[in-house]
Amino acid sequence: MHSSKIHILVIEDEPAYANLLKARLAAEKKVVFSPVFADTLEKALERLKQETFDLVLLDLFLPDSSGLDSFEAVRKQAPHLPVVILTASADEEVGLQAVRMGAQDYLVKGEVEPRIFFRVIQYSLERKHMEQTLRGSEERTRVIIETANDAFIAIDKKGVIVEWNSKAELMFGWPRQDVIGKTVADTIIPPQHRQEHREGLKRFLADGEGPILNRRVEVTALRRDGHEFPVELAVWPVYSDGECRFNAFIHDISGTRKLQQMKDEFVSAISHELRTPMTIIREGVLQVLEGLHGETTESQKKFLTMTLGGVDRLKHIIDRLLDISKLESGLVLLDKELSDIVQIAREVNAAFLPRAQAKGLEIREIFPLDSLRIYVDKNKMIQVFTNLMDNALKFTDKGHIEVSILDGPQSVECRVRDTGQGISKEDLGRVFSKFEQFDRPMGPGEKGTGLGLAIAKGLVESHRGKIKVESRLGEGTQFIFFMPKHSVTEIFKEYLSRGIRAALKEKACLSVLLFEVQDYEALLTKVPPAKMDHLLKELGKRLKEGVRQRVDTALEGGHRFYAGLPSTPRDTTEFVSKRIQQVFDETIKKEGLSDEVRVRSKVVSFPEDGHTAEELMFLLHGA
């Protein structure tokens, strides 16, 4: 309720009731009312022109107007004022109609207690204030959307476009009036991605999950003239009155892509131009050093060795520049496979052991598990550990370097900790920046490119992992990175994506199989867990034996088993499926579980059944 005076216009032609209202308003102690009375609509409209009011109490039936016409006239004169209707009991339906048309509330004369009377006034003022605030917020939102630098589009749960700003008109070539009411799939999504979009919409409405929601992703869009172009998309669901719609800001990245391509081509060309003469220089210096062109003195050998080291250092710098360029442009291709990350760390530690021993340092290993397989690019993980170990050795003169790998429920935690010089609190925020060289004392030859840690961070994040640093000056530093653990289904989906790209490039086909133990949850109540685990392991072995070609992939996870057969037509895959199904049945019988365990199989192929990994996985699990 307002703390200052409430200025009310009372439009009432019955003197007795007008006096009653005047007395009621004067009797209220919590709020001071300042009423103005008018006994005709004409007088009321004139007062509305002259003064500013907070509320109108309106009798619909006046000497010069009656019914809803009175309300319409007041609303036209003062559209933003809250209006409370005063009506007789016989005219209560008219009061309800006025509320439906926008009045805040209605009061039946003679039947309302003072307490209810003041509550209606209070709520009417507050509701109107909330409406105006909301209207102002909506208007500000519309202005923001309309003046945004990006295209804004909103669709309903059926994929029909309901909002479309001017930037969307410019970007896609569709005027707003031509596109509202059309589906987004039929307007701005390229034909090859439309089915994937529709299936994704269905899945979200079914289980509330969507792979592109609430994050920025790069996709291909379609202009009205048929031209496809790259965009960055940010889309999120919005719920209102039990309905869901999807809002999206879309940014055209054609120019950014072109600039990035020019940069990559420049870096690649410069690197190539540098590598060729550098290789010639290195070979020439090496030949002279090895005496192939005559005897050399010890002084000359020393100078030539230094020159050779400089050439190798230059090659190392060029390689790192190329690495960071690829990471920034998103061109790093990950060749993921199930790899033993413990073994990777051991191999890197062994390679650094002679260098550590030469400095009198110990390399310690904390590996609670002898083996831990996760889905990563093995060579990229070797590079991450190498860069972190190289950094630790550069800045550690005494003590030890400790490498640990711990298994967690969602991710694997890897640490490289040293007892070196540490990093100041002021410098910690710049550790992963490019070309950073902190003022830490170093020995001769220890200065790096300032790219190693930036590359390590980029490689970890390209695996959707996270990396952080903790350090105290004079006490040491530790780098901690977390690699996500993937389900077999997620791993196989990535395999399909790579397989489809390869099949498109080679103009070949790709077939995939799924074997799934049916009613698995119910089986766990009937079959002892140890016996079921043993059976699943045996089925996994049989699957790998049944998929014999070197290029084929077989993965097992829980009660599901996947197999992929590149360049294998569907009829051949059906034959393989039947053979493996027979082996599974024999294994189940051998374990004495023929009466309880049933395995279903499914075969789908690219491009016959689907064109994307999402489509093929949906078909595998949906039927």
Side-chain angles (χ1 to χ4, degrees):
M1 196 76 171
H2 294 66
S3 59
S4 57
K5 285 185 179 181
I6 306 299
H7 202 35
I8 295 181
L9 176 62
V10 182
I11 309 173
E12 173 59 62
D13 65 324
E14 294 181 19
Y17 196 69
N19 288 332
L20 175 63
L21 290 175
K22 186 175 183 180
R24 278 191 177 178
L25 293 170
E28 176 60 30
K29 292 182 172 55
K30 294 181 180 179
V31 181
V32 177
F33 289 100
S34 172
V36 172
F37 291 85
D39 57 5
T40 66
L41 181 64
E42 182 181 0
K43 291 178 182 178
L45 296 179
E46 190 62 32
R47 295 304 292 262
L48 286 170
K49 289 180 183 178
Q50 297 171 359
E51 299 179 53
T52 301
F53 292 93
D54 297 307
L55 181 81
V56 174
L57 291 175
L58 171 64
D59 181 1
L60 290 177
F61 294 93
L62 301 165
D64 55 347
S65 177
S66 64
L68 295 174
D69 290 341
S70 302
F71 172 67
E72 286 283 12
V74 171
R75 187 171 64 169
K76 184 177 180 180
Q77 182 66 41
H80 301 305
L81 262 184
V83 178
V84 176
I85 303 299
L86 301 173
T87 181
S89 58
D91 302 318
E92 190 171 350
E93 181 58 36
V94 180
L96 282 170
Q97 290 182 31
V99 171
R100 295 188 190 105
M101 293 170 62
Q104 288 298 309
D105 211 332
Y106 76 95
L107 292 168
V108 179
K109 294 180 181 180
E111 296 183 5
V112 180
E113 300 175 5
R115 182 173 56 86
I116 302 299
F117 174 76
F118 289 114
R119 184 181 296 172
V120 167
I121 291 177
Q122 176 183 350
Y123 287 175
S124 297
L125 287 167
E126 291 179 353
R127 277 200 302 270
K128 194 65 178 181
H129 176 70
M130 290 174 63
E131 287 177 6
Q132 291 171 346
T133 302
L134 181 59
R135 188 179 297 112
S137 176
E138 290 174 345
E139 183 60 31
R140 286 193 296 272
T141 301
R142 279 194 292 271
V143 170
I144 291 170
I145 288 172
E146 189 57 34
T147 58
N149 289 325
D150 293 336
F152 176 81
I153 296 172
I155 63 172
D156 64 15
K157 64 181 182 180
K158 295 181 181 179
V160 174
I161 297 170
V162 295
E163 291 289 347
W164 186 269
N165 72 351
S166 57
K167 290 298 190 298
E169 292 183 328
L170 292 172
M171 184 179 294
F172 296 103
W174 287 91
R176 188 178 191 278
Q177 65 271 18
D178 290 354
V179 79
I180 295 294
K182 294 180 181 292
T183 66
V184 69
D186 294 331
T187 49
I188 67 170
I189 296 180
Q192 65 271 25
H193 300 307
R194 288 173 183 171
Q195 184 60 31
E196 181 181 349
H197 161 77
R198 294 187 181 103
E199 296 295 345
L201 198 58
K202 288 180 185 177
R203 285 199 296 275
F204 176 82
L205 295 174
D207 55 30
E209 295 183 359
I212 68 169
L213 295 178
N214 301 310
R215 63 190 185 93
R216 303 192 75 85
V217 295
E218 292 185 13
V219 297
T220 302
L222 180 71
R223 289 197 179 98
R224 189 175 188 176
D225 61 8
H227 174 71
E228 295 184 11
F229 64 107
V231 299
E232 187 178 64
L233 171 72
V235 57
W236 66 99
V238 177
Y239 298 91
S240 178
D241 298 327
E243 292 292 324
C244 177
R245 83 174 197 177
F246 303 89
N247 292 345
F249 278 107
I250 305 171
H251 182 66
D252 185 348
I253 57 173
S254 301
T256 306
R257 281 272 184 91
K258 188 173 182 179
L259 285 173
Q260 187 63 54
Q261 183 180 358
M262 291 171 63
K263 172 191 167 187
D264 295 337
E265 290 173 353
F266 174 77
V267 172
S268 180
I270 291 298
S271 299
H272 177 74
E273 293 300 321
L274 286 173
R275 278 176 169 175
T276 301
M278 187 173 61
T279 301
I280 295 172
I281 292 170
R282 189 182 193 285
E283 183 60 27
V285 171
L286 192 60
Q287 287 187 17
V288 174
L289 184 61
E290 292 176 349
L292 298 179
H293 300 283
E295 291 293 327
T296 54
T297 65
E298 290 301 317
S299 176
Q300 289 171 333
K301 287 180 179 179
K302 182 178 179 181
F303 180 78
L304 290 170
T305 301
M306 290 173 57
T307 303
L308 195 63
V311 172
D312 289 339
R313 173 171 163 73
L314 181 58
K315 179 181 181 301
H316 177 68
I317 292 172
I318 291 172
D319 289 341
R320 291 208 160 187
L321 282 171
L322 282 174
D323 286 340
I324 203 71
S325 176
K326 288 178 182 178
L327 283 167
E328 288 180 340
S329 61
L331 295 178
V332 172
L333 297 178
L334 299 178
D335 185 16
K336 290 184 179 180
E337 59 182 348
L338 284 171
S339 303
D340 186 349
I341 195 164
V342 173
Q343 183 60 31
I344 290 172
R346 283 191 174 123
E347 290 176 5
V348 173
N349 292 347
F352 276 94
L353 186 58
R355 185 174 153 192
Q357 290 174 338
K359 293 186 72 173
L361 300 175
E362 177 188 1
I363 295 181
R364 298 178 180 176
E365 297 179 341
I366 301 178
F367 302 145
L369 297 176
D370 289 334
S371 176
L372 182 55
R373 300 207 319 155
I374 60 173
Y375 192 57
V376 294
D377 184 319
K378 181 178 179 179
N379 290 328
K380 299 296 188 294
M381 282 297 99
I382 289 174
Q383 193 172 357
V384 171
F385 277 107
T386 297
N387 288 2
L388 295 181
M389 285 293 292
D390 180 66
N391 184 78
L393 276 169
K394 280 180 184 176
F395 303 112
T396 305
D397 296 322
K398 59 181 180 179
H400 63 270
I401 297 169
E402 180 182 279
V403 181
S404 65
I405 296 177
L406 303 175
D407 190 18
Q410 304 295 329
S411 62
V412 173
E413 177 190 296
C414 306
R415 292 178 183 245
V416 176
R417 185 173 70 86
D418 64 58
T419 56
Q421 299 156 4
I423 306 168
S424 69
K425 190 178 292 185
E426 294 77 19
D427 288 335
L428 269 179
R430 299 183 291 123
V431 163
F432 295 111
S433 300
K434 293 179 294 183
F435 306 112
E436 286 290 354
Q437 296 287 340
F438 302 117
D439 296 328
R440 290 185 284 172
M442 305 182 246
E446 290 295 321
K447 195 165 184 176
T449 62
L451 292 174
L453 296 179
I455 291 171
K457 180 176 185 288
L459 292 175
V460 168
E461 291 179 347
S462 69
H463 283 79
R464 297 184 183 177
K466 295 180 180 179
I467 187 169
K468 65 178 183 177
V469 59
E470 297 174 355
S471 184
R472 287 188 179 182
L473 199 60
E475 295 183 18
T477 302
Q478 68 172 339
F479 288 89
I480 311 163
F481 63 96
F482 302 88
M483 300 303 297
K485 294 168 72 172
H486 300 277
S487 68
V488 171
T489 300
E490 292 171 328
I491 294 171
F492 194 69
K493 185 177 177 181
E494 283 202 29
Y495 161 79
L496 286 182
S497 296
R498 293 201 315 273
I500 288 171
R501 286 196 297 268
L504 285 169
K505 186 176 181 180
E506 299 169 7
K507 296 181 179 180
C509 59
L510 170 68
S511 293
V512 294
L513 304 95
L514 168 69
F515 297 93
E516 183 175 22
V517 176
Q518 295 181 295
D519 301 320
Y520 181 68
E521 296 298 329
L523 274 176
L524 294 177
T525 64
K526 302 176 184 178
V527 181
K531 192 168 186 178
M532 180 58 72
D533 287 344
H534 177 73
L535 173 64
L536 294 177
K537 288 178 182 177
E538 288 299 311
L539 294 179
K541 291 178 183 177
R542 302 289 87 78
L543 175 67
K544 291 179 179 179
E545 292 169 357
V547 181
R548 294 168 182 165
Q549 300 179 34
R550 183 182 61 84
V551 292
D552 292 346
T553 295
L555 296 173
E556 73 276 3
H559 66 293
R560 285 177 176 162
F561 306 86
Y562 297 93
L565 286 75
S567 303
T568 306
R570 187 187 182 93
D571 55 353
T572 304
T573 307
E574 294 278 8
F575 174 77
V576 174
S577 176
K578 290 178 181 177
R579 175 167 51 81
I580 295 175
Q581 181 73 56
Q582 184 178 357
V583 172
F584 274 20
D585 291 341
E586 292 172 356
T587 304
I588 293 169
K589 183 179 180 180
K590 183 179 178 181
E591 296 294 325
L593 294 171
S594 296
D595 294 334
E596 292 88 359
V597 179
R598 297 283 185 277
V599 175
R600 80 171 182 99
S601 61
K602 179 75 176 180
V603 175
V604 295
S605 297
F606 167 85
E608 296 99 313
D609 300 316
H611 293 83
T612 66
E614 288 78 9
E615 289 177 9
L616 295 180
M617 291 298 286
F618 179 78
L619 290 172
L620 280 176
H621 296 147

